[in-house]
Amino acid sequence: MSVLLAIGTRKGLWLATSTDDRVTWEVTGPHHPMTEVYAVGIDTRRATPRLLAGVTSEHYGPSVATSDDLGATWAEPDHAPIAFPADTGESLARAWQLVPGPASEPDVVYAGTEPSALFRSADGGRTYEFVRGLWDHPHREHWTPGGGGKAIHTVLPHPTDAARVTVAMSTGGVYRTEDGGESWEASNTGIRAVHVPDPYPEYGHCVHKVARHPAAPDRLFAQVHHGVYRSDDAGETWQSIADGLPSDFGFPMVVHPNRPDVIYTFPLVADVMRFPPDGHCRVYRSEDAGTSWEALGPGLPDGYWAGVMRDAMCTDDADPAGVYFGSRTGDVYASRDDGDSWQLVAAHLPDVLSVRAARV
Amino acid sequence: MRITVLLPGTLREKAGGESRLDVEVAEPATLGTVLDAVAERYPALERRLRDEQSGLRRYVNFYVDGEECRHRGGTATVLRAGAEVHIIPSVAGG
């Protein structure tokens, strides 16, 4: 079994490949040097998985690169693959998310962008069309930038109903469509907002990441700016699952590929203290959908003061699952046993912004 | 009239390897109309110079006969026949 781990950083993309069941890794890079890689995707719906990378040059702007040979070569369209229509007056800052659509639409890929907008590709992620329904939402003028920028950082196409898509943005919160993107509804009931006077507004939340398992599509998990939540009704309502964690602050939220009740996050002390608690680098895992949590430590260091960004944690699709995360100090750790133990895959990279892994 | 565009090394692959482009544009020419002409021939180059609203990328400088265009009128800078537009990435990055 070969597993590919794509590592997007502040200064390029690295690719780690393991051919021995994730015991050892060969790392190549930088691919797309001196670009910020906020978004990586591995579209495994194709015979040879397609790699997608949202690459942004500080000088020459954003683009989307694709590879159909596992990163040996890359292609970019001549014309901008993601472009805001003229009437919006906006221009793309960067793609924050590149997500393959449902199995029933094998050429559909979604892009979440900064500024906050959704784009849809019907050609496998090479070029994208603007989803105007979300842009025209009356709430949009009230969406504001979080610390990282005003972006749609999460796109969750429903696994079996192509008309249903859930997105999340900071700030703005969670929104859902059930008609293919024509209309959108804010879906934040039960999520507490700590940065506005009303603790339970309809929208405006600083949601950091939302995840779901395809076998349980109505169950969502969210890591919020001070809050960890689960929804059992597709985002209609949310309940806190933060009890048992050392902190309710953090960025990633990841679901196990084979066990829908197993989730992972990486707590930081607080928004004003963005360090792992006591300097202990620990992934936290719940095996009961957030009812209880355990710290996963073997192989992870102490005296560690780096955070993990919202897209810098992922799983692969193997069994037992591989779990991966990269830090802002450029360390990338992998587990080949559902998170029970960890090993260092790469160190001293630029700060890690995104990781994705899959069997290839 | 003819305008000469000089490209930095990092962008030449987007222009078929050329370091210098001779661009024919109608009078009166501006930096914007020159970049429009560049877009016709080399869209992959032009989108690295301007965003989709035709705004100049912040960290790309365009020296028109030796003077950075933002001191003259940006994309509305009027060009003389035979003018030289020297494109140089600014000092940026970390």
Side-chain angles (χ1 to χ4, degrees):
Chain A
M1 176 179 69
S2 292
V3 173
L4 177 69
L5 168 64
I7 305 162
T9 80
R10 187 79 64 187
K11 291 186 182 178
L13 174 71
W14 274 258
L15 297 174
T17 305
S18 176
T19 58
D20 57 2
D21 195 17
R22 303 161 293 180
V23 175
T24 62
W25 295 86
E26 179 184 353
V27 182
T28 65
H31 308 263
H32 309 287
M34 294 305 291
T35 63
E36 299 172 334
V37 186
Y38 273 61
V40 288
I42 304 177
D43 189 349
T44 56
R45 298 171 299 174
R46 298 168 178 274
T48 299
R50 173 171 291 175
L51 307 188
L52 306 128
V55 296
T56 302
S57 161
E58 192 164 10
H59 287 98
Y60 302 130
S63 189
V64 177
T66 57
S67 174
D68 288 333
D69 53 16
L70 301 180
T73 62
W74 293 85
E76 295 180 52
D78 283 348
H79 294 273
I82 301 173
F84 281 82
D87 69 285
T88 66
E90 294 283 358
S91 56
L92 180 70
R94 54 181 57 83
W96 278 63
Q97 193 83 156
L98 297 169
V99 178
S104 62
E105 297 183 326
D107 287 324
V108 168
V109 174
Y110 286 97
T113 69
E114 177 187 350
S116 293
L118 181 67
F119 290 77
R120 181 181 186 272
S121 170
D123 61 5
R126 296 185 187 278
T127 63
Y128 296 77
E129 297 292 328
F130 188 55
V131 177
R132 188 169 287 276
L134 183 57
W135 184 261
D136 287 342
H137 198 288
H139 293 172
R140 184 175 63 80
E141 64 179 301
H142 302 292
W143 301 340
T144 57
K150 187 166 72 173
I152 288 184
H153 51 65
T154 298
V155 184
L156 296 171
H158 192 280
T160 58
D161 184 348
R164 295 173 63 185
V165 181
T166 301
V167 302
M169 66 189 83
S170 176
T171 68
V174 178
Y175 283 77
R176 297 181 294 155
T177 181
E178 297 186 349
D179 58 10
E182 290 292 318
S183 64
W184 295 80
E185 182 179 356
S187 300
N188 302 289
T189 301
I191 298 178
R192 187 166 185 269
V194 298
H195 60 290
V196 291
D198 178 359
Y200 291 100
E202 179 188 6
Y203 62 94
H205 302 72
C206 186
V207 175
H208 286 176
K209 198 67 195 174
V210 183
R212 73 143 58 98
H213 191 282
D218 286 341
R219 172 172 280 183
L220 302 176
F221 301 95
Q223 172 68 62
V224 176
H225 193 110
H226 278 303
V228 184
Y229 294 89
R230 186 183 75 226
S231 172
D232 294 317
D233 51 15
E236 187 78 27
T237 60
W238 298 84
Q239 300 80 41
S240 175
I241 55 171
D243 285 352
L245 286 167
S247 164
D248 62 359
F249 190 83
F251 286 91
M253 174 58 72
V254 168
V255 181
H256 191 283
N258 311 313
R259 300 159 61 196
D261 286 345
V262 179
I263 53 178
Y264 303 87
T265 188
F266 191 94
L268 304 176
V269 174
D271 59 354
V272 294
M273 196 65 71
R274 299 185 183 199
F275 304 112
D278 300 318
H280 299 315
C281 179
R282 297 290 184 272
V283 172
Y284 277 72
R285 178 177 65 194
S286 173
E287 298 187 289
D288 50 16
T291 302
S292 64
W293 295 89
E294 62 179 319
L296 306 174
L300 297 178
D302 293 333
Y304 202 82
W305 301 99
V308 174
M309 306 292 269
R310 74 189 79 225
D311 270 302
M313 181 181 283
C314 72
T315 66
D316 60 27
D317 53 354
D319 188 10
V323 190
Y324 308 85
F325 70 90
S327 73
R328 297 203 71 174
T329 48
D331 302 322
V332 180
Y333 285 90
S335 169
R336 57 193 293 268
D337 53 12
D338 292 348
D340 290 338
S341 64
W342 299 81
Q343 63 168 323
L344 192 63
V345 172
H348 312 309
L349 301 180
D351 37 346
V352 178
L353 302 173
S354 55
V355 294
R356 290 293 184 273
R359 289 174 295 172
V360 295
Chain B
M1 65 190 214
R2 177 172 293 186
I3 305 295
T4 299
V5 177
L6 302 178
L7 299 176
T10 48
L11 287 178
R12 290 172 191 167
E13 64 158 314
K14 307 300 182 188
E18 299 291 332
S19 61
R20 170 193 180 105
L21 306 177
D22 291 323
V23 181
E24 289 288 343
V25 289
E27 295 188 59
T30 65
L31 176 61
T33 62
V34 169
L35 294 175
D36 290 343
V38 169
E40 291 289 320
R41 284 169 61 189
Y42 299 114
L45 169 63
E46 188 270 344
R47 75 176 173 94
R48 269 80 181 181
L49 306 176
R50 295 192 295 186
D51 63 31
E52 61 264 52
Q53 306 295 345
S54 296
L56 300 177
R57 297 225 178 263
R58 179 180 178 187
Y59 294 121
V60 181
N61 290 334
F62 301 78
Y63 288 88
V64 176
D65 290 331
E67 186 176 10
E68 214 286 311
C69 75
R70 292 170 177 89
H71 300 302
R72 296 181 58 174
T75 55
T77 301
V78 176
L79 306 185
R80 65 176 177 85
E84 183 178 272
V85 177
H86 195 171
I87 299 173
I88 302 176
S90 69
V91 283

